[in-house]
Amino acid sequence: MKKIGLLLFSFAFAANSYGQITKQGHTNQNKFKQLKQELPTPNLERTASGKPGKEYTQQKVDYVMDITLDDANTKITGSETITYHNNSKDDLEYLWVQLDQNMRAADSKTPDISPSSIRTKMSKGRYNRAFPEERFDGGFNIMSVTNKDGSPLLHTINQTMMRINLVEPLASGDTFEFNISWWYNINNHRTDGGRSGYEHFDENDNNNYVIAQFYPRMCVYDNVEGWQNDQFWGRSEFALEFGDFTVNITVPEDHMLGATGVLQNESEVLTKKEQKRLETARKTFDDVVVIRTQKEAEKIEKSKASSTKTWKFVAENVRDYAFATSRKFIWDAMAVDINGKTVMAYSLYSKEANPLYGDHSTKAVAQTLETYSKYTFDYPYHKAISVDGQMGMEYPQICFNPGRPDLPDGGYSDRVKYRMVKVTIHEVGHNFFPMIVNSDERQWTWMDEGLNSYMEMLAELDYDPNFPITRGYPKNIVRYMSGDQSRIAPIMSKGDNVYSFGSNAYGKPATALWILRETIMGKELFDHAFRTYSQRWMFKHPSPADFFRTMEDASGIDLDWFWRGWFYTTDVTDIGIKSVKKYATKESGDTVEFVEDTTEGLGFSKNENKYHYEITYEKPGGLVMPIIVEFTYKDGTKEKKTYPAQIWRYDDKEVTKVFSSSKQIESIMIDPDLETADVDTSNNAFPKETANKFDKFKSKIKG
């Protein structure tokens, strides 16, 4: 007893260099400790349950805009009246406006923040972009900023942000109206890159325009960030307020145009034939109706109108505005039934994108609206448009997507088809996240891209049960998660500061949600919680804490361990079988004795009525995850057993469990369906010789 006591004493105390005995302690490193330090303190605006509180407030911004597209000079000119509603409890000394186009200004600092080096060879086009003789100037030219009465309004421009210097603070509950007029040169997004711009076609000297970030936009002010006025460096996207838009867009008379909002002057901008076809489309739910045909578009694009026309739109309760216009556009449409409400799915595309777009674009839009509405909330707007923009970007009710036929006969390969459908579903899906569930993209990219990438998987499988999903299945994130740790950041990182942007903000969070639904929570609990989050934060500004708390609140499952591991660290999953012991039993009166059978393998030295296996599982990886074990019996049958992640709460390195059966086991596999993103499966099988079978099996798994 003395020896034991001294041994315990030596663990609890240690002698310092002066011979004094000091206590050794540590902070709570348990993977299951609560997520208290990481999450903000709940308050009356954002509650501990994850839903908006009784005192939740949100600003509102209304815009009235007149926009003119100068096709000959590829230039946008605009004027706007902004009405800012201060619904917060704070008096505001100044207002902040986003000037995103300044990222393309001649003096922009964006090119200066990225490292560069000389390549021994590069294409001439890439060389010209990297070393232009004269740098393209696509920044805003602010012509005036005035008060409601037309008097000058003091303002300060700081790169992509403009501060409106108020004479006196804007009191809580008050509104402020002011005007801005501007112009800028439109970039060729096909040669110079960008999230909007034009694509030039040498044939007939035409342009397709996909226009966004084209107007000075108000920053978000809330109780989480205050003013969200982080500079726009080109990657991390946007934080925006909801409001009402009245927009008049003047373009060449022969252009076909699509935009955010309800078209107010349909009879003025569409031909009688187009109006009639559109009416047919509004009643057609099972097929696509062509409003402007390829033949008609080809005829129009051969000449240029000298006159203009103005398209008039009104959009209520949207956070942003975008449009697309070209004389080349074909237009097709179909109606979508969203729980008894008719929503229109539209596509605008040039002949270069047909027949790919004609076959799949509008149908992919319709599928997205149906699937997302099923799992979140009914799509509230009247339309969704997919535009042949040859990029992937999203805005309320309209998005710009890639895809052109790639075969010599004008057809398209499965690779091109699936990529186009994938991006279309993803970008249309952004109507839900973040265009309605309005998270801060500048700060938390994963809250829209990750959630949307997860939902995209469900829509893709609805569109085609054999859809080749490339992002979201656990096995597809293994390569990234097991990579060089110096080039991996936690999901909870600002998008501008991560290396593998796609894997970090899209792939890993989508995988995390897939694992939650399929492996940890189950479909019913996950779907209810995810729907609850979506509906709680429709047309509001959720933060990460609101998502984490709502998922737990609505499911009754403590997920703090999961959020911490998957979102706050770069830990990986690696669970293996360390050892297996077999035990036979001997009965002696009222006593049962376990006797270890030390013969090699899983077979017993003699027949038994009950087989007992003491299995020690090891966890070299940092993530705690369920242990999913598949036992294959000698008669060829299988049995699966799942131990919850909490099995690791007392020992983060290894745990021993006894498994008993009336049948003898032939082999044991961990995570046989690759559900947990295990980065090293070499320790997943017992006996070791069955590992080869496991490797062959892995290659056959869907996804």
Side-chain angles (χ1 to χ4, degrees), residues 610-611 613 615 617 627-643 658-673:
K610 192 79 169 175
Y611 300 95
Y613 301 88
I615 308 169
Y617 301 98
I627 306 175
I628 305 168
V629 193
E630 183 177 80
F631 302 97
T632 299
Y633 296 108
K634 283 191 174 294
D635 63 6
T637 61
K638 298 176 185 289
E639 181 179 354
K640 189 181 284 188
K641 173 73 177 177
T642 299
Y643 300 101
V658 173
F659 184 81
S660 300
S661 174
S662 60
K663 294 192 289 187
Q664 194 172 168
I665 293 173
E666 183 175 76
S667 62
I668 305 171
M669 284 188 186
I670 290 180
D671 194 13
D673 299 320

Side-chain angles (χ1 to χ4, degrees), residues 170-240:
L170 179 62
S172 173
D174 283 357
T175 62
F176 182 72
E177 185 177 308
F178 64 106
N179 311 299
I180 304 176
S181 61
W182 72 94
W183 68 270
Y184 71 88
N185 296 310
I186 306 171
N187 57 296
N188 183 328
H189 70 81
R190 296 288 277 165
T191 59
D192 301 327
R195 296 169 183 270
S196 70
Y198 70 89
E199 176 181 11
H200 182 71
F201 296 84
D202 288 334
E203 181 188 12
N204 301 318
D205 188 29
N206 277 310
N207 297 321
N208 283 359
Y209 294 91
V210 286
I211 303 298
Q213 293 85 246
F214 65 92
Y215 63 101
R217 310 181 292 179
M218 293 301 304
C219 295
V220 166
Y221 181 85
D222 64 18
N223 75 318
V224 176
E225 294 287 332
W227 282 108
Q228 173 47 289
N229 54 5
D230 287 357
Q231 293 292 332
F232 178 50
W233 296 106
R235 174 187 276 180
S236 292
E237 294 175 357
F238 313 110
L240 298 160

Side-chain angles (χ1 to χ4, degrees), residues 161-448:
M161 293 290 162
M162 177 167 66
R163 189 180 66 237
I164 304 298
N165 303 311
L166 302 176
V167 175
E168 57 184 37
L170 179 62
S172 173
D174 283 357
T175 62
F176 182 72
E177 185 177 308
F178 64 106
N179 311 299
I180 304 176
S181 61
W182 72 94
W183 68 270
Y184 71 88
N185 296 310
I186 306 171
N187 57 296
N188 183 328
H189 70 81
R190 296 288 277 165
T191 59
D192 301 327
R195 296 169 183 270
S196 70
Y198 70 89
E199 176 181 11
H200 182 71
F201 296 84
D202 288 334
E203 181 188 12
N204 301 318
D205 188 29
N206 277 310
N207 297 321
N208 283 359
Y209 294 91
V210 286
I211 303 298
Q213 293 85 246
F214 65 92
Y215 63 101
R217 310 181 292 179
M218 293 301 304
C219 295
V220 166
Y221 181 85
D222 64 18
N223 75 318
V224 176
E225 294 287 332
W227 282 108
Q228 173 47 289
N229 54 5
D230 287 357
Q231 293 292 332
F232 178 50
W233 296 106
R235 174 187 276 180
S236 292
E237 294 175 357
F238 313 110
L240 298 160
E241 301 283 11
F242 288 103
D244 300 332
F245 288 71
T246 299
V247 184
N248 304 315
I249 309 170
T250 300
V251 296
E253 193 274 336
D254 52 2
H255 271 216
M256 177 60 71
L257 185 146
T260 306
V262 179
L263 180 60
Q264 303 295 296
N265 60 335
E266 193 175 287
S267 62
E268 296 176 9
V269 295
L270 302 181
T271 66
K272 284 185 168 35
K273 187 182 291 185
E274 289 165 349
Q275 293 176 61
K276 186 176 180 180
R277 292 169 179 167
L278 182 55
E279 280 304 311
T280 300
R282 286 169 175 154
K283 300 171 186 174
T284 305
F285 293 86
D286 57 354
D287 203 0
V288 174
V289 177
V290 179
I291 312 301
R292 176 176 284 182
T293 69
Q294 178 167 330
K295 185 177 180 180
E296 291 165 343
E298 287 178 343
K299 181 180 179 181
I300 291 169
E301 71 174 77
K302 290 178 181 177
S303 60
K304 292 185 179 180
S306 57
S307 57
T308 63
K309 62 184 175 185
T310 300
W311 298 64
K312 300 177 181 179
F313 293 91
V314 170
E316 295 181 349
N317 206 19
V318 296
R319 67 166 228 162
D320 200 3
Y321 199 92
F323 67 94
T325 183
S326 174
R327 61 180 54 86
K328 291 175 59 64
F329 280 155
I330 303 162
W331 178 20
D332 69 32
M334 70 182 293
V336 187
D337 183 351
I338 304 295
N339 281 333
K341 175 188 173 184
T342 298
V343 175
M344 295 305 298
Y346 295 141
S347 291
L348 294 168
Y349 49 99
S350 54
K351 67 177 186 290
E352 287 78 6
N354 225 8
L356 177 61
Y357 260 71
D359 291 344
H360 293 284
S361 179
T362 295
K363 291 178 181 178
V365 174
Q367 183 64 71
T368 308
L369 298 178
E370 291 173 356
T371 300
Y372 279 61
S373 294
K374 178 170 66 176
Y375 289 104
T376 59
F377 45 77
D378 289 353
Y379 183 68
Y381 297 129
H382 73 293
K383 70 181 180 188
I385 311 172
S386 169
V387 181
D388 162 27
Q390 298 309 300
M391 66 173 77
M393 270 308 295
E394 71 281 356
Y395 303 93
Q397 304 170 21
I398 187 170
C399 58
F400 314 144
N401 301 310
R404 299 267 169 85
D406 62 331
L407 299 181
D409 63 356
Y412 48 87
S413 63
D414 281 349
R415 179 186 63 82
V416 165
K417 176 188 74 173
Y418 282 122
R419 179 175 181 268
M420 187 274 266
V421 173
K422 173 184 176 61
V423 177
T424 300
I425 288 174
H426 183 89
E427 304 306 341
V428 175
H430 272 306
N431 276 288
F432 293 77
F433 308 95
M435 301 304 154
I436 296 170
V437 182
N438 188 18
S439 56
D440 178 353
E441 297 179 272
R442 188 67 50 86
Q443 187 71 24
W444 305 115
T445 308
W446 69 267
M447 286 195 72
D448 73 292

Side-chain angles (χ1 to χ4, degrees), residues 26-35 38 560-561 564 624 646 648-652:
H26 63 272
T27 59
N28 184 1
Q29 299 299 313
N30 191 288
K31 298 290 177 68
F32 294 92
K33 69 179 180 179
Q34 295 306 107
L35 209 64
E38 291 85 351
D560 284 12
W561 62 273
R564 176 179 285 107
V624 288
Q646 286 77 5
W648 302 104
R649 68 196 189 281
Y650 294 135
D651 190 329
D652 192 48

Side-chain angles (χ1 to χ4, degrees), residues 489-538:
I491 291 175
M492 293 291 287
S493 301
K494 191 174 180 181
D496 285 329
N497 305 331
V498 300
Y499 291 101
S500 300
F501 185 65
S503 296
N504 177 279
Y506 296 66
K508 188 178 176 184
T511 301
L513 297 185
W514 185 265
I515 290 173
L516 277 179
R517 184 177 192 254
E518 300 294 322
T519 302
I520 293 169
M521 299 173 70
K523 291 182 174 67
E524 184 178 355
L525 285 175
F526 180 91
D527 289 351
H528 174 75
F530 193 79
R531 187 179 295 110
T532 299
Y533 164 74
S534 302
Q535 294 181 2
R536 279 180 175 179
W537 290 95
M538 288 177 68

